[in-house]
Amino acid sequence: MYLSHNNPNKKLTIHLQEVCVYLLDMLKYVPLSKQDRAALEYIGKIVAVSHDFGKYVSYFQQYLQTGETKGDLHHHSFISAVFAAHLLRHPSKWQASWFSFAPLIGYFVVMHHHGNLRDISLDVTKSRHIAENNVQDSLYHRVRVLKQQIDDITIHASKIVKDLSPLWAELSIPLSLADELNSFVQHYEKAFDEVYRQYYWIDKQKKQEVTKELYYYVLLLYSALIDADKLSAANIERKARLHIPAHLVDLYREANYDVSVTEGTNGWRNRMYKTVMERIEQMARANPDQKLFTLTAPTGAGKTLLSLSVALKWREQAEKQYGYSPKIIYALPFTSVIDQNEQVIRDLFSPLHDFHENEQRYLVKHHHLSTFQYKAENEELPLRKALLLTESWEAELIVTTFVQLFHTLIGYENRALKKFHQMAGSILILDEIQNVPVEYWPLLRTVLYQMADLFSCKILLLTATQPLIFPEEETVELLESETVKPLDFFQEMERVEIHWLGSDKGAYSPEEWQDLLKNLFEDGKTYLAIFNTIRTSIEIYKGVKKWLQEREYEVVYLSTNIVPRKRKSRIEKIRKLLKHNQKVVVISTQVVEAGVDLDFDVVFRDLGPIDSIVQAAGRCNRNGTSSELGKVYITPIERDGKLEAQYVYKSVHTYIAKEILPKEPVSEQRFFDIIIQYFTQVRERKSHDASEGLIRAMEMLKFDAKDRMIDKNKPKYVSEFQLIEDARQSVDVFVEIDEQAQDIWRQYMQNVVEEKDFEKRFENDLRLKRDIRQYVISAPIQLVKNLDRDLYEKTRMLHLSNDLLNQYYNSEYGLIRSSEMVDAWIM
């Protein structure tokens, strides 16, 4: 009996059948044209049954049974890939324009189903090169191994045909297995020629219109294959999809809010909700095929519930009109916002009769700090299976980060790409999309266009500061009707004013800023001050703390310079102080701008991009309860003659913001116009080279190369895409700030670092991950370079033990930074 896996033993044909069934089921939920679906399902069958064909080699079967190897002769992906290309090289009836590339697609996705995708040019050769023993280095060893494996397959061909034939017939594959296997062992080199010919078309851009789409079909099949393969290998049975009522948000609003009021802040939100609901009904009748939408609403408008209501109604429309249920993917820029949004969604789903028995089948939260649990049919799955299902987005609604989303859409890594098929056909809600770096806007536009065009994704850009990623005529604004536009809702609210307070010389030193605060100070008001660098935030906190305490104020410091656990507790403390009308001043960095629902009378902010300034303004008189307008003071900070904003943001952003901001007070009614001016100028002044380089890499299937040289301005490989730039001069540090941290570190050392059993170590690492990250900060290397590095290779972080704490860490403001150190460590 041929096996695919052991511990427990699994018959190879059972595994191939499961992968095929799972893969075809995954494709079923992707809306496609008839010709594209027929082509994809045919290739999918071939890819599924051939992806582990190499496991029929006796060397692999021996390795599975005994663990013994003969060099790399037990490796199975390459011979499987060549077999897939061989099966797909026949002329076919399928009419899809891209189907002529089927052998290359099958070869490429099967070859890399256990690893990451790489530059297609590294994977091709010609039969002539094989005959002349002149194969390129990237394939030379694999081809030598292949020749010996072909000899082995030849010897055992009759047994292989006998084992595989029943499955072959069951899947209705029109090719004769016996004939194809005989042809393969005799003429396998021809498959290389066919793949090379198709690579030549791509390399020389012979079929440019087709190759623009090829990347997306490659990722769809690769994703479905590797996800199906992992689920089968883990013996996880896929569950049926779940229904979510389209009017769930309406019912929730009726139960928790006064939806009939038309005046005040709640009336303002109700009228926006009504406008959007009427708009999507009108669009469903007039233009049901529209895919790109915007929802431009002021801060405090209740965009989370509003967008979810839109998505659920779109989902119902798709079910009725097209017969499939799109997944809803809600993506945000920061992990700090996700917990808050997830809780809103959990409250929304709670009335569903089976939600608590199937929590993760309904809702999955996924980012790099996620805890992994998966509850289905009232059963908590083991951690490894929970991890697999979470990372595969096996849920109806997924809350995630831009990093997870865009590094899948523009990706090359196996672990990220296994969820690509879940995005195809989905409803994508992109919250605060302006946080994507401007140089990537053309790239983002191209990718979202293709996802909408090829796979019928509906895409909703959700923000108070709508960037100009798409031309206005290509999107539909949801907060709009014949009688009202988003601008009307912006102009209706008068909660805050922005005041430019540049000094006589243009900017303030930290010492001058402290004097400014004292001059503007009004006892009894609550204050938030946001600075661009940790260094300045600490300096000012230390400078004003005593003066404010003498006036009976609670002074709280916030930044990523303190461990996440303490940061979270301080935010809760601030909420309580504000709720009970206590006198409080918060000194912070930009970390407070991202989804932290706090409301102050006065906000000070260092100069920054206009969208960041508007975000900061959203923390001032947020609920419109004050009898007077909240004040937002823009106070540029300089050090050594340079604006600190330029340490953190690109100079162009700083210059444009300074140029655009009026020097007279700006009412909230004018925010919309200023935002449009800002993004218009930013778009015009930014280079598109980075986007153009990545788009070309995607079209050329140039995913990654081992020795690539990263050039952010002119990338050549998909792998050079970085949504967040690497902080190459920083390192993670675990900080033992209390006994609980000490205990967690002891558990981590004992149960992860020192654990010999791989499975136990893996599960313990997952179990402790969230607790560990609550005490980790990112620190400039120069500040912590003297800490013990002996365990760094195992832990990927340094360890600041409690006995050294006072030398490196202050309980009030976190990591101690020397006074002469100039840095721009933000957030």
Side-chain angles (χ1 to χ4, degrees), residues 287-298:
N287 189 7
D289 294 327
Q290 174 67 29
K291 299 297 190 297
L292 299 172
F293 297 85
T294 59
L295 202 169
T296 310

Side-chain angles (χ1 to χ4, degrees), residues 95 123 219 285 300 411 528 582 648 650 660 672 686 752 763 799 813:
Q95 299 301 309
D123 293 336
L219 258 57
R285 294 189 300 270
L528 168 66
Q582 299 296 302
V648 177
K650 301 290 193 301
I660 282 179
F672 191 88
K686 288 297 290 185
V752 178
E763 292 211 355
H799 174 224
Y813 53 80

Side-chain angles (χ1 to χ4, degrees), residues 29 161 708:
Y29 290 97
V161 169
R708 61 182 167 88

Side-chain angles (χ1 to χ4, degrees), residues 14 96 104 110 153 156 263 293 330 342 434 445 473 578 606-607 653 696 775 788:
I14 296 296
L104 179 143
V110 170
I153 290 289
H156 301 101
E263 301 299 325
F293 297 85
Y330 195 124
E342 186 217 17
Q434 75 279 354
R445 179 184 173 190
E473 66 274 10
L578 292 170
D606 192 358
L607 180 63
H653 295 277
R696 179 171 173 79
Y775 295 94
D788 186 359

Side-chain angles (χ1 to χ4, degrees), residues 415-435:
R415 188 173 181 179
L417 291 177
K418 69 181 176 183
K419 56 185 181 287
F420 181 90
H421 68 90
Q422 305 281 24
M423 295 187 194
S426 68
I427 296 165
L428 295 175
I429 302 173
L430 307 179
D431 199 344
E432 305 297 353
I433 192 64
Q434 75 279 354
N435 285 283

Side-chain angles (χ1 to χ4, degrees), residues 368-433:
H368 75 290
L369 300 181
S370 299
T371 52
F372 296 105
Q373 61 183 59
Y374 198 95
K375 193 175 184 181
E377 297 174 353
N378 222 17
E379 178 188 357
E380 287 279 358
L381 298 184
L383 272 176
R384 185 177 279 276
K385 290 186 177 182
L387 170 67
L388 185 58
L389 291 170
T390 299
E391 290 189 335
S392 298
W393 289 4
E394 284 292 331
E396 300 304 320
L397 197 155
I398 299 94
V399 186
T400 191
T401 61
F402 284 176
V403 169
Q404 291 291 337
L405 181 84
F406 290 122
H407 279 274
T408 298
L409 290 175
I410 309 157
Y412 72 104
E413 292 181 303
N414 183 294
R415 188 173 181 179
L417 291 177
K418 69 181 176 183
K419 56 185 181 287
F420 181 90
H421 68 90
Q422 305 281 24
M423 295 187 194
S426 68
I427 296 165
L428 295 175
I429 302 173
L430 307 179
D431 199 344
E432 305 297 353
I433 192 64

